[in-house]
Amino acid sequence: MDTIEPLCVPTTADAPAAFGFEPCDGGVCAADGMRAAGVSAGFRKNPNRLDLALVVADESCVVAGTFTTNRFCAAPVTLSRERAARGRARAVVLNSGNANAATGEPGLEVARRSAEIVAAELGCAPEDVLVASTGVIGAQLPIAPFETGVPAAARALAPTAAAAHDAACAVMTTDTHPKEVAFCGAVPDGRGGEVTVHVGGFVKGSGMIQPNMATMLAVLSTDAPLTAEAAHQALLDAVRVSFNKVTVDSDTSTNDTALLFATGAAGGEKIGPDSPAYPAVAAAVRGACTELARQIAADGEGATKLVTVNVLGAASDADADTVARAIANSPLVKTAIFGHDANWGRVAAAAGKCGVPFDQRLVDIDLLGVPVCRAGLTVPMDEDDMLRRFDAPEVEITVSLNAGTSCTRIWTCDLTHDYVTINGDYRT
């Protein structure tokens, strides 16, 4: 029996490779005109753990940002959302260990003051500095670590892959490893030739992950000469199909922030949304965000499997998303995957509980590339073969509702004993 091919879900045609982009080194410093650093400033008890990151453009440049929809948003989100709306910035300073959320006016003052400290080191206006924080909610963020850590980070700034890596490490909380990506490729320069552009970045995220966005701080950069409008459109479109399609535990963070700096250092004419070069650059931004989103899901707290949920044939995009999230967030589905149990009935039950109307007699389900349900009924499976398939690092679930033409893809992970341990011990 043929498996379900999720053709309407974004695939290779939307990938950077389709536009000639290839993976490269450098992370957030892959783009010309960007420098980074990560230092231990004292936000964490462990003096050997990096906890302050500084990412700086050589000059004030185009910036775009997207932020959490959580109404309990943190002070850094309030400040950075306001400043990013200007469409230009020079730097962002990020700390781990303390979210600066639910901290009132004192928290806002610390956010402003930390930006002023960075501005003084760089010789720019405080309004050109964005801020981001991650960690425990409800504790006041001290200013002292910024006073010593920012100058140290400024001295350490470098346009290297090692510096980018340090910055990626400095924003980790329960992440088990840093998450970075970079692509490079040629695009039209608007003058009959081509220029090589880079897109790179890092993200932190491991738990309290359900969009919009994903308990994450992401900093991306490109040396493509994007206009503010193009940068905003490219980032927003990328976030919609990447970070907004990740869920680990259905909780939305107070601090989610994704930023895109566009230095323009690659040269060539400005790239607007209608420019010939825009589709390629946008694909690279989308590809970078997608790769980072997959890394978040794969590193979900305590996770052993990356889980991809495809929902096809829905009556609307909203229906597809609702069904996919119901499956991806189901503790029964997630624990079955952890237990290597090909119990597709849990997938069917999760889809059926979410309020989306469909006819169960039309539903098809594939698990691990194997047809397990057709027209709402069981397809016999080889249990030993399914156990072998669970050895793969990624588990794919595809559900076709056969109710329309809309589809979506969500990334999640399994639910393990370690998830409970990690979150039970988070503040201790």
Side-chain angles (χ1 to χ4, degrees):
M1 184 174 293
D2 291 339
T3 58
I4 304 168
E5 179 60 34
L7 293 176
C8 69
V9 176
T11 54
T12 54
D14 303 278
F19 294 88
F21 277 79
E22 297 180 349
C24 62
D25 295 327
V28 76
C29 290
D32 289 339
M34 295 298 298
R35 294 174 291 154
V39 300
S40 178
F43 293 104
R44 292 181 169 278
K45 296 178 181 179
N46 183 351
N48 297 316
R49 183 162 180 178
L50 304 181
D51 56 14
L52 184 145
L54 186 59
V55 181
V56 177
D58 291 344
E59 300 176 353
S60 177
C61 67
V62 166
V63 75
T66 61
F67 302 90
T68 184
T69 59
N70 192 313
R71 292 190 179 276
F72 231 110
C73 66
V77 169
T78 299
L79 185 65
S80 292
R81 181 187 283 130
E82 175 185 313
R83 292 183 175 180
R86 299 166 54 240
R88 296 193 68 82
R90 175 82 189 280
V92 58
V93 60
L94 312 94
N95 73 274
S96 59
N98 186 312
N100 195 10
T103 51
E105 183 57 37
L108 280 169
E109 181 55 33
V110 169
R112 296 188 196 101
R113 179 61 188 139
S114 63
E116 291 171 356
I117 294 170
V118 173
E121 288 292 326
L122 300 180
C124 67
E127 293 73 22
D128 279 339
V129 179
L130 309 178
V131 296
S133 300
T134 184
V136 174
I137 295 170
Q140 291 293 336
L141 180 65
I143 194 63
F146 288 106
E147 294 173 336
T148 57
V150 168
R155 291 191 297 270
L157 283 170
T160 63
H165 183 75
D166 285 347
C169 290
V171 295
M172 291 167 52
T173 51
T174 56
D175 307 63
T176 63
H177 57 81
K179 303 170 178 68
E180 301 179 82
V181 69
F183 293 102
C184 62
V187 303
D189 65 1
R191 301 165 185 165
E194 291 184 332
V195 292
T196 298
V197 303
H198 304 78
V199 174
F202 63 79
V203 70
K204 67 78 49 183
S206 186
M208 194 189 281
I209 289 175
Q210 158 98 353
N212 289 322
M213 290 196 294
T215 298
M216 45 158 278
L217 303 181
V219 182
L220 298 115
S221 66
T222 180
D223 43 24
L226 296 174
T227 64
E229 181 185 7
H232 178 75
Q233 190 63 53
L235 180 62
L236 188 62
D237 288 347
V239 166
R240 283 173 176 159
V241 298
S242 60
F243 299 134
N244 278 8
K245 297 295 185 179
V246 177
T247 179
V248 167
D249 48 25
S250 80
D251 281 326
T252 301
S253 168
T254 56
N255 289 62
D256 294 341
T257 298
L259 302 171
L260 172 63
F261 289 84
T263 68
E269 294 185 352
K270 288 289 185 181
I271 299 174
D274 297 325
S275 299
Y278 177 79
V281 178
V285 173
R286 186 169 57 246
C289 290
T290 298
E291 172 57 27
L292 292 173
R294 285 173 55 83
Q295 289 186 42
I296 289 173
D299 193 34
E301 288 170 341
T304 66
K305 301 290 182 186
L306 169 63
V307 181
T308 299
V309 179
N310 301 308
V311 171
L312 317 176
S316 68
D317 291 348
D319 282 357
D321 192 78
T322 298
V323 172
R325 290 187 192 282
I327 296 167
N329 284 325
S330 166
L332 291 179
V333 172
K334 291 159 72 74
T335 51
I337 292 169
F338 173 60
H340 294 189
D341 181 6
N343 187 350
W344 67 266
R346 292 184 175 183
V347 175
K353 74 178 183 181
C354 67
V356 170
F358 59 82
D359 187 341
Q360 65 171 304
R361 296 170 298 179
L362 301 178
V363 174
D364 300 330
I365 301 174
D366 284 5
L367 180 60
L368 291 158
V370 175
V372 293
C373 170
R374 287 294 181 269
L377 299 175
T378 296
V379 175
M381 72 177 91
D382 182 334
E383 295 284 0
D384 290 336
D385 175 62
M386 297 303 285
L387 278 174
R388 287 190 292 270
R389 289 173 181 264
F390 270 112
D391 289 337
E394 181 172 357
V395 172
E396 189 162 14
I397 301 168
T398 301
V399 177
S400 180
L401 301 178
N402 290 307
T405 59
S406 293
C407 63
T408 197
R409 173 174 288 162
I410 298 283
W411 292 286
T412 186
C413 60
D414 56 349
L415 180 59
T416 72
H417 306 294
D418 286 344
Y419 176 88
V420 177
T421 300
I422 290 167
N423 283 282
D425 294 344
Y426 184 65
R427 293 203 311 148
T428 57

